[in-house]
Amino acid sequence: MKVRTSCFGLRNLLQGLSFCVRYYFRHNHLQTTCLYSKIKPKKCHILDCSGSTCTHMTVPPGSILPWRFFSCKQEGTKIPSKRKQNTSITSSELSYKNLLKSEQENWKDISARYKAMTKRIKEKLEELHKYTFNSGSPRIRFGENVYFEENGCIFLSKADDVDGGNVDILFSTEDLGFSDAFIQRIRISPDQRYMAISLKSENSEEATCVIMKLGHFPVVEKVIPNVFSFEWATNDVLYYTSQKNLKCQNVFMTTFTNQKHTKLVYTEQDASNSKTTSEVWLVDCRHPFKLPALVQARTKGIIYHIEHRNDELYILTTYGEPAEYKLMKAPVASSGMENWQLVYALEEKTKLVDLEMFSDHCIMFLKNAGHLYLSVISFVSHSVQSIKLPTWACEFELESHPEHTTGTCYFQLTSPVHPPKHFAYSFKENNLIEQAVQEVPIITNCHTTRLLAKSKDETLVPITVFHNMNSKELHRKPLLVHVYGAYGIDLNMSFKEEKLMLIEEGWILAYCHVRGGGELGLSWHRDGCQHNKLKGLHDLKACITLLHELGFSQPKYTALAAASAGGVLAGALCNTDPELIRAMVLQAPFVDVLNTMMKTHLPLTIEEQEEWGNPLADEKCMKYIKSYCPYQNIKTQCYPSVFITAYENDQRIPLTGILQYVQKLRKAALDHASRTSKKGNRIPNIILDIQANGSHCDSSWEDSLNEVARHLAFLNKELEEVCHVQHMKSCK
């Protein structure tokens, strides 16, 4: 369900509403598929009810989030036990406890070998973090005021003094007793008298919404638990969605007038949780107590989202051919599909990353063949301008624009090795401006290369490669390959300190944009889901093979990194082509697809049948999943070394499946070693690090830092014969 704002009446000054309620997939993250998540001065709200309870999108542009992630993570209360109250212990429970205890003891025994190197890596990352953490804090611009977050505090400054010292502190997690939480999202009321903040604990899937009354002495006005998203409808009316068991079905309204009250506004009745069908409802913000009005009834296979301008709705939809996103419009008074008119169609294999509507312009952030650019539609001249962005840029993030009459669009650009940089596009001047900010004192000569690998069926698969321009003999340098390939989500390519550190130490980083992801549009996802999942595996193999053929490292110096659903392709590659890599690091990996998709009592199984298929109802589907499922295809052979981080409180990836996968993989590797027992035969390290804290969602900076440092220490140990000399001097 997504609540959006739309123009419904005569005035232009009412604040709009936009709820970002997403599907919960087995992934984290955290690439920008949220298309509309900003506060704008609009007149009506829109409830976007995907054939489900919520629409998937990542953290919305303009949200305030920690920059620090190791890999794609999502947002993140303790998990309620699914067992019935029973004093007896079943054999399966006992087996689970024994496996858990065994792996915890195993990690305790072997963790010492990584302790010194982990400590040194942490120190270096902490040093880098000092310079990069505040370089790209997302900002909310409100007239002359700018709101931003740093280190658990929310500040207010004037637009011309953002980087100066004249700022007011409005909120502090530590001072108000939320020291174990981090700030996830900020929304300011239209008159700037109230501020709503979502706080997340690293062990939680739900957020807590804290409403502050601003002024000379900001005070806590209200605290709402188990909230997923929220937006201001008027100066003193806040809409929010509640979350339970990974689903958002109810939209509430709470008022901050003299007579404060909370009211249920909407309940989603369709429990299908479809990711390919959506439905939008409008709420008139001038009359926020009235019932919402339907834009267009859900139609199977058609997704649509709403923006507005004056008395027209602008509709981003998959309606019509080809089944890719296109921009259409219709009058607010007659918004049915029969009245939709085409405004702009995307080019083939182009991904629409984000869209923002202004009074006289619409700006679209697009991705084509790995390159980012803007398309600016003028409603005055009826022209379209295309602006190519810097070649190093891999990710956009829009800054919040509460005032849609502004003549400038602010956003950030980043890459895995480039800290966020602030840019502005002026509609009047038709030019792109890199805003002056304090330079990050990091010197790196990083070269960005974009390649195309030919997959098994001749499809060309994009690869983005980063390496130090001063590196020589690239075929002898360590290579870290990244993959995801699921849910139509782009591979996470936002900035991370550890990636910059690896580049400085001579590593090569490769990002394989395989089918199943969304890098080349909706068809790219369709080509890699359900009965096409093996295409993603073929793509990954083709990418790694091409990298080696072009002289980017070689198998014995190559490692593979994946998280969540990316573990499907990474684990499958280890079974089919283990000789291509030396080591692998996985974070909360989905490695037991078949058994998980046959357990309908799990919270995500039914809705994810659109991605993986339904093995219970379709025997062919069962056989197909079994053909690539990492757990099902483990065999006695030489495997790469594997390091897995998992979480006890993970609602998305059952820990039982990971425990069984590790046991089976370790046994297969040891059986192979005992049978071949040749002199010098290598026995791979199969390590499982189970975190009692943390979840499938966002971790704190400290916990994420520890995970990253352990992963890199493991990789350096496995590839130490080719590690950068400078690094080995400090880490050995």
Side-chain angles (χ1 to χ4, degrees):
M1 183 188 316
K2 199 170 74 167
V3 183
R4 287 298 314 152
T5 314
S6 173
C7 176
F8 205 40
L10 302 174
R11 301 184 310 168
N12 294 320
L13 300 178
L14 288 179
Q15 185 71 16
L17 169 72
S18 75
F19 272 136
C20 315
V21 187
R22 359 176 245 192
Y23 281 115
Y24 282 85
F25 299 152
R26 293 184 175 91
H27 77 298
N28 151 299
H29 102 170
L30 290 175
Q31 319 347 251
T32 305
T33 55
C34 173
L35 299 174
Y36 324 101
S37 310
K38 287 76 64 181
I39 309 175
K40 305 179 186 178
K42 302 177 181 178
K43 299 181 182 174
C44 303
H45 301 273
I46 302 173
L47 303 176
D48 180 354
C49 311
S50 303
S52 70
T53 54
C54 15
T55 304
H56 170 75
M57 50 199 86
T58 59
V59 177
S63 300
I64 304 299
L65 276 176
W67 281 103
R68 188 69 195 78
F69 300 127
F70 171 63
S71 53
C72 45
K73 292 186 177 181
Q74 300 276 56
E75 313 173 335
T77 272
K78 279 210 170 181
I79 305 172
S81 174
K82 298 181 178 65
R83 303 179 194 136
K84 296 180 180 179
Q85 294 298 321
N86 196 324
T87 56
S88 63
I89 300 178
T90 66
S91 59
S92 61
E93 289 175 321
L94 188 59
S95 175
Y96 169 82
K97 290 182 177 180
N98 289 337
L99 282 176
L100 178 61
K101 183 178 180 181
S102 173
E103 290 301 332
Q104 289 171 331
E105 291 175 348
N106 183 63
W107 168 243
K108 185 177 180 181
D109 291 340
I110 64 176
S111 60
R113 74 174 71 162
Y114 303 105
K115 189 173 182 179
M117 189 177 290
T118 298
K119 182 175 181 293
R120 287 167 174 80
I121 291 173
K122 281 179 61 178
E123 290 171 351
K124 183 156 189 177
L125 290 176
E126 285 170 338
E127 188 66 25
L128 284 173
H129 185 65
K130 292 177 184 178
Y131 298 118
T132 61
F133 181 72
N134 296 328
S135 63
S137 299
R139 302 166 180 174
I140 300 176
R141 299 174 183 273
F142 226 130
E144 295 182 353
N145 293 332
V146 176
Y147 299 82
F148 60 97
E149 184 266 348
E150 288 182 8
N151 296 321
C153 297
I154 299 173
F155 298 93
L156 169 64
S157 74
K158 295 301 180 183
D160 57 358
D161 193 37
V162 173
D163 299 307
N166 188 21
V167 297
D168 296 325
I169 183 168
L170 305 178
F171 178 85
S172 167
T173 54
E174 187 170 349
D175 291 348
L176 293 178
F178 298 103
S179 57
D180 63 339
F182 55 84
I183 298 170
Q184 181 197 40
R185 181 180 293 123
I186 300 172
R187 293 293 185 264
I188 310 297
S189 67
D191 59 1
Q192 303 185 62
R193 287 193 301 123
Y194 292 98
M195 175 174 64
I197 309 156
S198 63
L199 300 175
K200 293 293 288 293
S201 164
E202 64 191 58
N203 296 320
S204 175
E205 289 279 357
E206 288 79 29
T208 296
C209 179
V210 178
I211 294 90
M212 302 289 296
K213 187 172 184 178
L214 303 179
H216 293 296
F217 300 100
V219 296
V220 176
E221 183 78 8
K222 189 171 185 175
V223 177
I224 311 173
N226 302 327
V227 170
F228 181 76
S229 61
F230 48 85
E231 298 292 345
W232 291 98
T234 65
N235 292 332
D236 46 24
V237 176
L238 181 78
Y239 279 73
Y240 67 91
T241 56
S242 62
Q243 181 178 328
K244 184 178 181 181
N245 295 331
L246 303 183
K247 292 180 173 61
C248 302
Q249 291 182 282
N250 295 320
V251 179
F252 294 90
M253 175 191 64
T254 186
T255 64
F256 295 89
T257 56
N258 292 332
Q259 295 181 339
K260 297 179 175 62
H261 72 279
T262 299
K263 176 185 177 181
L264 177 65
V265 174
Y266 180 87
T267 297
E268 174 55 56
Q269 302 298 330
D270 190 322
S272 66
N273 286 350
S274 171
K275 305 172 185 67
T276 59
T277 303
S278 64
E279 183 174 279
V280 180
W281 295 71
L282 302 182
V283 176
D284 189 343
C285 292
R286 297 166 305 174
H287 308 287
F289 298 97
K290 286 188 175 182
L291 293 175
L294 178 64
V295 174
Q296 166 63 46
R298 56 172 57 92
T299 303
K300 186 175 181 180
I302 294 178
I303 306 169
Y304 74 98
H305 310 282
I306 297 293
E307 284 286 1
H308 79 276
R309 174 179 176 267
N310 298 332
D311 292 324
E312 291 182 314
L313 298 179
Y314 281 80
I315 306 147
L316 190 70
T317 179
T318 58
Y319 173 64
E321 294 295 333
E324 295 286 348
Y325 279 117
K326 50 194 74 70
L327 187 63
M328 308 183 84
K329 69 176 182 177
V332 173
S334 51
S335 60
M337 193 181 296
E338 66 277 6
N339 298 311
W340 294 2
Q341 298 177 2
L342 182 66
V343 175
Y344 184 87
L346 299 180
E347 296 180 5
E348 186 180 3
K349 294 186 177 179
T350 297
K351 168 73 175 283
L352 177 60
V353 180
D354 213 335
L355 177 147
E356 182 83 315
M357 193 71 66
F358 294 85
S359 58
D360 294 327
H361 297 85
C362 172
I363 187 165
M364 292 182 288
F365 291 77
L366 306 174
K367 181 184 295 185
N368 185 287
H371 294 280
L372 306 183
Y373 61 98
L374 307 178
S375 277
V376 183
I377 300 175
S378 170
F379 297 121
V380 178
S381 64
H382 304 289
S383 62
V384 179
Q385 295 279 346
S386 183
I387 299 97
K388 194 169 183 179
L389 298 175
T391 55
W392 56 263
C394 297
E395 294 275 8
F396 301 103
E397 181 164 2
L398 265 170
E399 295 191 353
S400 183
H401 297 84
E403 297 172 303
H404 77 299
T405 56
T406 181
T408 306
C409 178
Y410 298 93
F411 58 94
Q412 298 176 55
L413 297 177
T414 185
S415 87
V417 296
H418 293 87
K421 289 188 177 181
H422 294 274
F423 286 81
Y425 176 78
S426 170
F427 298 114
K428 183 178 180 180
E429 303 296 331
N430 187 30
N431 63 352
L432 190 66
I433 304 165
E434 182 175 352
Q435 296 187 286
V437 295
Q438 182 179 357
E439 288 296 321
V440 178
I442 297 172
I443 299 174
T444 180
N445 296 312
C446 183
H447 183 68
T448 304
T449 303
R450 289 182 170 86
L451 306 171
L452 291 172
K454 187 176 289 187
S455 193
K456 185 177 180 179
D457 62 358
E458 304 290 303
T459 298
L460 297 178
V461 183
I463 315 170
T464 306
V465 184
F466 303 94
H467 67 86
N468 195 313
M469 287 189 291
N470 296 327
S471 293
K472 298 178 180 179
E473 296 185 312
L474 289 176
H475 68 285
R476 295 183 58 82
K477 298 298 181 181
L479 166 66
L480 183 57
V481 178
H482 303 74
V483 70
Y484 186 68
Y487 303 112
I489 297 171
D490 294 7
L491 189 56
N492 188 349
M493 298 188 70
S494 58
F495 174 72
K496 300 177 182 67
E497 287 91 345
E498 66 268 19
K499 308 304 181 187
L500 180 59
M501 184 190 78
L502 291 175
I503 289 293
E504 290 181 334
E505 294 175 353
W507 282 67
I508 304 166
L509 304 179
Y511 292 77
C512 303
H513 309 292
V514 303
R515 281 173 285 186
E519 286 86 348
L520 297 183
L522 297 177
S523 61
W524 197 247
H525 171 229
R526 289 192 296 268
D527 249 5
C529 70
Q530 290 196 7
H531 60 279
N532 290 320
K533 272 295 170 186
L534 280 171
K535 291 182 179 179
L537 175 59
H538 299 154
D539 293 353
L540 178 58
K541 179 181 178 180
C543 289
I544 297 176
T545 300
L546 178 65
L547 288 167
H548 292 159
E549 289 175 350
L550 295 178
F552 292 105
S553 194
Q554 49 189 293
K556 64 180 178 180
Y557 306 147
T558 299
L560 180 60
S564 196
V568 175
L569 297 183
L573 184 82
C574 279
N575 290 328
T576 60
D577 300 275
E579 71 282 355
L580 287 178
I581 59 176
R582 170 78 178 219
M584 178 170 70
V585 288
L586 301 175
Q587 186 178 37
F590 190 29
V591 288
D592 191 5
V593 185
L594 184 60
N595 286 325
T596 302
M597 293 306 297
M598 293 180 72
K599 296 175 181 177
T600 56
H601 67 280
L602 295 176
L604 299 177
T605 299
I606 301 298
E607 65 187 75
E608 295 202 352
Q609 290 172 354
E610 288 184 340
E611 179 70 23
W612 310 99
N614 184 356
L616 291 174
D618 187 342
E619 188 175 350
K620 287 184 179 179
C621 176
M622 179 184 292
K623 291 180 179 178
Y624 188 75
I625 293 177
K626 193 172 183 178
S627 72
Y628 67 79
C629 174
Y631 176 75
Q632 298 292 332
N633 291 280
I634 294 172
K635 53 193 172 187
T636 302
Q637 62 178 359
C638 183
Y639 277 95
S641 291
V642 179
F643 190 108
I644 298 176
T645 298
Y647 309 100
E648 281 193 66
N649 293 335
D650 195 332
Q651 287 177 275
R652 305 169 188 276
I653 307 293
L655 183 57
T656 303
I658 297 177
L659 288 167
Q660 293 172 342
Y661 173 80
V662 168
Q663 292 282 322
K664 188 175 180 180
L665 184 65
R666 188 180 291 135
K667 183 179 184 303
L670 291 174
D671 286 349
H672 175 265
S674 64
R675 292 179 188 179
T676 55
S677 63
K678 297 177 182 177
K679 186 176 181 180
N681 190 39
R682 186 178 71 93
I683 301 177
N685 293 301
I686 311 296
I687 301 171
L688 176 58
D689 174 19
I690 302 171
Q691 296 293 305
N693 295 323
S695 69
H696 203 78
C697 304
D698 300 331
S699 298
S700 65
W701 154 250
E702 291 76 13
D703 284 343
S704 185
L705 172 65
N706 289 329
E707 288 181 23
V708 170
R710 287 192 292 267
H711 285 189
L712 297 186
F714 168 79
L715 291 179
N716 276 301
K717 283 288 187 181
E718 293 297 323
L719 307 176
E720 61 184 353
E721 61 202 65
V722 290
C723 279
H724 192 278
V725 174
Q726 181 79 21
H727 178 66
M728 292 310 298
K729 285 181 179 179
S730 66
C731 290
K732 285 190 83 172

